[in-house]
Amino acid sequence: MRQDKPGVLLVNLGTPDAPTTPAVKRYLKQFLSDKRVVDTPRWLWWPILNGVILPIRSPRVAKLYASVWMEDGSPLMVYSKRQREALAARLPMPVELGMSYGNPSLKSALDSLMAQGVTRLIVLPLYPQFSCSTVAAVWDGITEVFAGYRSLPSVQFIRDYATHPAYIAALKASVERSFAKHGKPDLLVMSFHGIPQRFADQGDDYPLRCRETSEALIAALGLAEHEAMLTFQSRFGREPWLTPYTDETMQSLPAKGVKHVQVMSPGFSADCLETLEEISEQNCEFFMHAGGTKFEYIPALNDDELHIDMMVELVNSQR
């Protein structure tokens, strides 16, 4: 009889191997070559990507990575490894970490799980809110790896966890810690990574899932409607993305009498360039320059105990 042996694959976006121009260029090329991320026709996109974007963006992005790089690597990698280690310590099954882009690759993680005799794969993409550009890319990556296997495990794929009670509880605790430390702000801003508006128009329910997370968190915190708002960050290119934009919001709030903000990015399971540099530094500067007086960034859940508790619950729900 075939023995049932479950195993867990944690997946996040990925990161360059080093804060250098060549490493960033390799990473960006893989990332921006994924049709889930950029669906421009290849004949048009390749010359732009290789001739313009990579040569110009890679050195600039490398400097940004260098500004947040930790002793053991990029923040995303450091926290993702801690998450894997903490989850593995809590579960009686193998747990591996794979990245959609860069290292450790999805193939290396899946090869390791299969070598350990896993027959039932539980896939946990660390994106709380589904998007075709993130979670669906994980699905694509796994099926591409499986194309080279003679034997396949059964697969249990966790689509997202935008309103899971343990996720909302972990977010609530992180906000309450920040309020206790810095005082309650005039406004709590929940900044999610953006996607092109066109993706949503074509059926991606990501903005709905972001709103549902925000509404659940606001209710859990007992905040009034005017005490919190949702925004979208990290837009790229010229076409319209989900609004309101975080950067424009930060620049407009002080004129409306909002002088103290706290900003969190609930869609990021681990701190990374988009939170530590874009939010904590760039958007702080936008807000303060526009007349704000206090700005605090509320860290991602990272390897917080309540975050790991949530992961355990999600995995156990699939057992």
Side-chain angles (χ1 to χ4, degrees):
M1 180 179 291
R2 187 171 185 258
Q3 183 181 4
D4 177 60
K5 182 175 181 179
V8 178
L9 173 64
L10 288 182
V11 187
N12 212 320
L13 189 76
T15 179
D17 293 322
T20 62
T21 297
V24 168
K25 186 175 183 179
R26 287 195 303 272
Y27 170 74
L28 288 179
K29 184 170 185 177
Q30 184 184 9
F31 173 52
L32 296 175
S33 295
D34 190 337
K35 291 183 180 179
R36 289 287 192 181
V37 178
V38 179
D39 61 352
T40 303
R42 299 295 95 171
W43 64 267
L44 176 61
W45 179 237
W46 279 111
I48 297 172
L49 175 63
N50 292 287
V52 179
I53 292 176
L54 292 178
I56 292 175
R57 285 180 63 87
S58 297
R60 185 169 49 128
V61 173
K63 291 180 181 178
L64 296 179
Y65 269 107
S67 72
V68 300
W69 209 259
M70 301 170 72
E71 183 177 350
D72 295 327
S74 78
L76 177 68
M77 184 61 67
V78 170
Y79 291 123
S80 295
K81 286 182 176 179
R82 290 179 186 174
Q83 289 167 345
R84 189 212 70 80
E85 292 166 2
L87 187 59
R90 298 273 301 275
L91 294 173
M93 63 184 75
V95 179
E96 295 292 345
L97 172 67
M99 299 293 185
S100 291
Y101 317 103
N103 298 303
S105 66
L106 289 176
K107 185 178 188 308
S108 67
L110 288 168
D111 285 349
S112 176
L113 288 167
M114 296 299 285
Q116 296 175 72
V118 166
T119 62
R120 182 160 53 88
L121 180 66
I122 301 170
V123 183
L124 175 51
L126 290 173
Y127 305 109
Q129 298 79 25
F130 173 89
S131 173
C132 65
S133 59
T134 53
V135 178
V138 174
W139 181 279
D140 293 347
I142 291 171
T143 55
E144 183 178 346
V145 173
F146 280 164
Y149 285 9
R150 292 296 183 190
S151 179
L152 297 177
S154 60
V155 178
Q156 292 163 271
F157 192 92
I158 299 173
R159 183 183 189 268
D160 76 0
Y161 48 93
T163 57
H164 191 285
Y167 167 59
I168 300 301
L171 292 176
K172 176 177 182 284
S174 71
V175 173
E176 289 177 337
R177 284 195 298 269
S178 184
F179 284 10
K181 181 177 180 180
H182 302 290
K184 186 177 179 180
D186 299 329
L187 186 69
L188 172 67
V189 178
M190 294 163 285
S191 177
F192 293 82
H193 199 291
I195 61 170
Q197 178 62 48
R198 175 170 50 86
F199 288 8
D201 295 341
Q202 294 169 347
D204 191 336
D205 65 345
Y206 175 73
L208 172 63
R209 299 300 278 161
C210 293
R211 286 196 299 272
E212 290 174 340
T213 294
S214 300
E215 290 166 0
L217 179 56
I218 290 170
L221 290 166
L223 296 178
E225 185 176 341
H226 69 275
E227 294 179 310
M229 73 175 298
L230 174 154
T231 62
F232 294 97
Q233 65 183 83
S234 309
R235 66 187 185 278
F236 174 77
R238 296 181 179 179
E239 70 173 307
W241 279 41
L242 299 178
T243 58
Y245 298 137
T246 301
D247 54 358
E248 292 182 359
T249 299
M250 289 298 112
Q251 295 173 62
S252 68
L253 285 175
K256 299 175 182 178
V258 177
K259 301 297 185 178
H260 178 196
V261 297
Q262 291 183 23
V263 185
M264 65 188 308
S265 295
F268 292 88
S269 61
D271 275 315
C272 55
L273 188 69
E274 287 82 359
T275 63
L276 298 175
E277 199 280 329
E278 183 181 351
I279 296 298
S280 185
E281 295 184 22
Q282 284 187 28
N283 279 273
C284 175
E285 184 176 338
F286 292 151
F287 179 73
M288 300 301 283
H289 184 73
T293 57
K294 289 185 69 179
F295 179 108
E296 289 100 22
Y297 167 65
I298 301 174
L301 294 176
N302 295 321
D303 57 339
D304 181 87
E305 186 175 357
L306 290 179
H307 198 201
I308 305 304
D309 288 345
M310 180 211 73
M311 294 182 197
V312 172
E313 285 195 38
L314 286 171
V315 171
N316 284 337
S317 70
Q318 303 297 315
R319 292 175 63 183

